[in-house]
Amino acid sequence: MVDWSGGNDRGPRPKRDAIWIGEAGRAPVYCRNRAVAEAHLTARISDALDAGERLMVGFDFPFGYPLGVAQALCDGDTLALWDWLESRIEDSSKANNRFDLAGEINRRFPGQGPFWGNGLKRDIDGLPRTKAGYENPFADKRLSETRTKGTFSVWQLAGAGSVGSQALMGLPVLARLRRQFPVAAWPLEPWDDAAVVFTEIWPGLIEPAVARHAGIRDAVQVRVLAEGLNRLSPARLNAMLSVDAPDAQEEGWILGLGHEKELLAAMSLTPPPLKNDCFALPPGVDWTPVDEALAMLQSRLTCVCATETVALGHAAGRVLADDVTARRSNPPEPNTAVDGYGFAGALVGEGDIVLPLVDGRAAAGVPYAGTVPPGQACRVLTGAALPDGVDTVVLDEDCATSGGEVAFRGPVKTGSNTRRAGEDVQEGQTALSAGRRLTPADLALAAAVGLSDLPVRARLRVGVLSTGDEVVPAGSTAAQGQIYDANRPMLLSIAERLGHVAVDLGHVGDDRDALRARLDVATQQVDVVLTSGGASAGDEDHVSGLLRETGALAEWRIALKPGRPLALGMWQGMPIFGLPGNPVAAFVCTLVFARPAMGLMSGAGWQEPQGFNVPAAFSKRKKPGRREYLRARIRDGHAEVFKSEGSGRISGLSWAEGLVELPDGAQDITPGTVVRYIPFGSFGL
């Protein structure tokens, strides 16, 4: 989707009112002028044809003029008018002849019109600056525009809404692309089997969806529209392209007109559900190494959280959904880094220097009103905008003042104790990147560059469900053979600490029908479920049994300790992580497998925990075949491990401050051997 511009080159830094190209699945592309945009489109169309893809390209300017215009100007149809304009438009990055051509066209007809709006300083014969005395021999708007709120007339060439300039400068580009490639211009010619289809778009149709997002509006609307159209089924997209309007083949038509509700629904940026077979292991796989299991999770899971816009003050801990660009440079203007005296540095030499002081001073928020003459100095305070004529500051402590003069010792390096405008972040630069979980420092940066709200992902909703007749809630009376539910508070807390919404789904006994009903309810409440217990292959392992019967189940026999088979399944499109019932194993499997998977589903991406190589303070002979995680902590620069590796020793989790990860192969560890230690903080806890 392309947001066009009829103006001149907009410079190297991304900005609004320029050309932006949005493509589904890719970041918007800024094009500083039409030549750059045409080159980008040429390359993209060529790539699509080479790859055997079908490509739709939408442009936000009219493809045609009201009835009778093409016949009057070139004795032809609308596509012939494209070629007619291409042969007459002159275009460079800094100038074009659109106003002169409009005046020439107007002179062919009696009165003042059909074009109006001269944006140049010089007068143009036949082109009125305003609609005063305006006479149009044709209709003011096309049929599609009369049925759409907020559209502008194709005859307007200057001022807000000057879509006429965009059409005059855009249609020649489309004419050249049509000569170069097999393109069908919808709905002016048959498009059903075309490899490349050009369509006309009007972002006003999706205004409510665009308004929910921060960033440069032009970039937002082409990205949102491209993503939304890409989500439509072929049948629904074909329905939007099937236009039954008498004037459409001459005047053109706006894609989505009459389908606004459906179009807006597709713009919600909610990713598609996961496939039911996304957890399936390849045939013949038995024990799965940890790294292979992680790689399969990473390749098969996707983000499931929609995008929303929140105020800056409510964005901490949220996942940024899109790159955001600075609306203002930081700092916005050159300023002083210290209290002192400012002057033109190039005019100051060595030795003792005495400069007369101008009256007044520059303070933060209260700039100096005049210009500091060469050879004079001005009192400046920290954070003050540098007055005109000042590029260097001497620190207060290095100066002496008396009788309207300041003295200091040279030489002084030009630019000392000053900050350049934009030396931190420049307007138009990416200030924060998508996928980042926003920190307090990120919010400070966003505020400094002029952002008041941010596009973020909705929080991932993580349901936690305990199973088993032997489990009873903490604080209740436990009968013989029963244990307290340690997993549920632990897993709920982990989900919250990771930045997700933790939803307590309670406890279900060894009752398959009750478990089925609870999971049915969970699909309406959460995005993913963590269960504990019932994940193996025994008679009372109802989580894996139920998923095997009615859902999609992959029992991953992971080669790790502590941990038993990890049951991964889909229930009506909702992922389920069936964790072991043993709290230590459930804890380790959550950190190693569920944590990065939930990060990917939440939009934060797949994140590896940061480990550190440290000397061991323990001895251990490890057999080959399994990855092992030992409860550990650092003391005196060495990694200590808990006295027992028994996975029933929950006290070891409380004692530990991290995990020692031992690789899959055999290892003989003695005190001083280097091991990999991962603090719980690296997992986000």
Side-chain angles (χ1 to χ4, degrees):
M1 299 292 112
V2 186
D3 185 287
W4 200 249
S5 172
N8 296 330
D9 188 289
R10 295 289 289 155
R13 291 189 297 175
K15 52 178 64 72
R16 61 186 181 183
D17 298 328
I19 299 176
W20 286 88
I21 301 177
E23 181 171 350
R26 302 186 184 185
V29 175
Y30 167 71
C31 299
R32 61 184 296 173
N33 56 49
R34 285 177 293 279
V36 172
E38 185 172 351
H40 179 88
L41 291 168
T42 298
R44 185 64 188 90
I45 294 171
S46 180
D47 289 345
L49 294 174
D50 290 344
E53 298 174 339
R54 296 193 71 197
L55 182 67
M56 174 190 286
V57 189
F59 298 87
D60 71 334
F61 54 79
F63 278 13
Y65 290 84
L67 295 178
V69 174
Q71 184 65 35
L73 289 180
C74 60
D75 296 324
D77 60 17
T78 297
L79 292 175
L81 179 57
W82 290 16
D83 295 327
W84 187 89
L85 290 172
E86 196 273 334
S87 68
R88 288 163 173 78
I89 281 289
E90 300 170 4
D91 191 10
S92 70
S93 63
K94 295 185 178 180
N96 60 75
N97 70 333
R98 68 184 188 275
F99 296 111
D100 294 290
L101 180 58
E104 177 186 329
I105 293 172
N106 279 1
R107 292 194 296 272
R108 293 177 173 228
F109 304 103
Q112 292 280 327
F115 288 106
W116 64 272
N118 177 7
L120 302 180
K121 293 182 179 180
R122 60 181 173 85
D123 291 333
I124 295 177
D125 184 22
L127 181 62
R129 292 192 176 275
T130 67
K131 293 187 73 173
Y134 174 76
E135 298 177 21
N136 192 346
F138 304 102
D140 208 38
K141 288 189 174 184
R142 302 175 299 155
L143 177 62
S144 60
E145 290 158 352
T146 63
R147 298 184 180 180
T148 310
K149 293 181 179 180
T151 56
F152 295 87
S153 171
V154 74
W155 305 118
Q156 181 182 345
L157 300 182
S162 53
V163 68
S165 282
Q166 294 187 32
L168 282 180
M169 303 311 300
L171 293 177
V173 173
L174 303 195
R176 286 193 292 272
L177 292 173
R178 288 188 73 254
R179 286 202 297 268
Q180 187 174 355
F181 299 108
V183 172
W186 170 88
L188 308 175
E189 55 188 340
W191 54 271
D192 304 64
D193 298 321
V196 181
V197 179
F198 285 174
T199 62
E200 178 187 335
I201 59 174
W202 166 240
L205 292 182
I206 61 164
E207 170 59 27
V210 174
R212 291 196 296 265
H213 303 283
I216 297 176
R217 180 183 179 80
D218 307 327
V220 169
Q221 60 192 19
V222 292
R223 177 187 60 81
V224 170
L225 189 54
E227 295 285 0
L229 288 171
N230 194 54
R231 287 189 203 100
L232 293 173
S233 68
R236 296 313 308 151
L237 186 57
N238 286 340
M240 287 189 185
L241 291 167
S242 300
V243 179
D244 184 18
D247 303 335
Q249 284 196 317
E250 181 176 345
E251 291 188 340
W253 197 256
I254 297 169
L255 178 62
L257 184 58
H259 302 267
E260 287 85 345
K261 289 185 178 179
E262 183 178 1
L263 201 58
L264 283 169
M267 305 296 155
S268 64
L269 290 187
T270 301
L274 300 173
K275 296 180 180 179
N276 272 346
D277 62 353
C278 73
F279 289 138
L281 289 175
V285 171
D286 191 5
W287 284 98
T288 307
V290 170
D291 288 338
E292 289 186 19
L294 291 172
M296 283 187 284
L297 277 175
Q298 185 176 5
S299 66
R300 298 177 188 185
L301 289 170
T302 58
C303 176
V304 299
C305 294
T307 296
E308 59 189 20
T309 299
V310 301
L312 204 60
H314 299 288
R318 304 294 293 274
V319 176
L320 193 63
D322 303 299
D323 292 350
V324 292
T325 55
R327 296 178 181 173
R328 187 188 196 197
S329 295
N330 183 49
E333 51 193 349
N335 66 87
T336 175
V338 299
D339 290 348
Y341 297 87
F343 48 87
L347 302 179
V348 173
E350 299 185 7
D352 292 344
I353 299 166
V354 178
L355 298 178
L357 288 170
V358 298
D359 292 332
R361 68 175 191 174
V366 186
Y368 181 72
T371 298
V372 177
Q376 297 187 40
C378 178
R379 174 67 168 158
V380 294
L381 302 182
T382 303
L386 292 181
D388 291 341
V390 171
D391 60 14
T392 305
V393 174
V394 172
L395 191 67
D396 231 352
E397 291 83 346
D398 295 333
C399 297
T401 59
S402 178
E405 294 181 320
V406 60
F408 54 89
R409 182 159 295 170
V412 179
K413 183 179 179 181
T414 300
S416 293
N417 298 312
T418 64
R419 306 183 184 105
R420 301 186 311 276
E423 70 176 19
D424 181 21
V425 180
Q426 293 188 351
E427 179 185 354
Q429 283 186 333
T430 298
L432 295 167
S433 299
R436 184 176 182 86
R437 194 172 294 280
L438 294 165
T439 66
D442 294 332
L443 303 188
L445 176 59
V449 297
L451 300 171
S452 59
D453 47 38
L454 294 171
V456 298
R457 293 287 182 183
R459 291 187 188 273
L460 185 74
R461 300 168 299 169
V462 180
V464 176
L465 175 65
S466 294
T467 68
D469 286 342
E470 76 281 11
V471 176
V472 296
S476 64
T477 300
Q480 186 174 1
Q482 291 184 321
I483 59 174
Y484 289 120
D485 188 352
N487 284 335
R488 191 147 43 105
M490 177 183 71
L491 297 176
L492 287 167
S493 177
I494 289 175
E496 287 185 352
R497 294 288 291 271
L498 295 178
H500 310 310
V501 176
V503 180
D504 189 350
L505 299 178
H507 166 260
V508 174
D510 292 324
D511 183 329
R512 197 162 295 191
D513 290 337
L515 178 60
R516 178 186 290 107
R518 189 67 56 89
L519 292 179
D520 285 343
V521 172
T523 60
Q524 306 301 314
Q525 298 175 320
V526 299
D527 303 304
V528 59
V529 170
L530 305 181
T531 68
S532 59
S536 192
D539 292 343
E540 298 300 328
D541 288 314
H542 294 289
V543 172
S544 55
L546 182 61
L547 291 173
R548 189 181 298 108
E549 287 179 6
T550 58
L553 172 71
E555 291 181 280
W556 286 15
R557 302 177 67 198
I558 309 297
L560 98 158
K561 177 185 177 181
R564 298 174 61 191
L566 180 65
L568 300 171
M570 300 293 294
W571 189 265
Q572 299 180 26
M574 176 183 66
I576 296 177
F577 284 78
L579 303 169
N582 185 295
V584 176
F587 182 87
V588 170
C589 285
T590 298
L591 295 192
V592 174
F593 297 105
R595 179 199 62 86
M598 292 189 299
L600 197 58
M601 295 169 67
S602 71
W606 186 272
Q607 297 174 342
E608 301 284 350
Q610 176 63 58
F612 304 91
N613 292 329
V614 298
F618 62 94
S619 298
K620 177 180 173 61
R621 179 167 292 179
K622 178 189 174 296
K623 296 179 180 180
R626 289 197 296 180
R627 180 81 50 89
E628 293 191 19
Y629 292 91
L630 310 178
R631 286 151 283 178
R633 65 187 185 185
I634 299 294
R635 291 295 182 270
D636 297 326
H638 290 65
E640 299 179 350
V641 296
F642 190 58
K643 59 187 177 182
S644 171
E645 293 183 20
S647 55
R649 302 286 290 271
I650 304 176
S651 62
L653 291 177
S654 179
W655 173 91
E657 296 167 356
L659 299 174
V660 162
E661 180 186 58
L662 301 181
D664 300 348
Q667 193 170 15
D668 192 2
I669 300 169
T670 58
T673 301
V674 174
V675 294
R676 185 172 188 249
Y677 173 76
I678 310 174
F680 288 148
S682 289
F683 290 107
L685 301 185

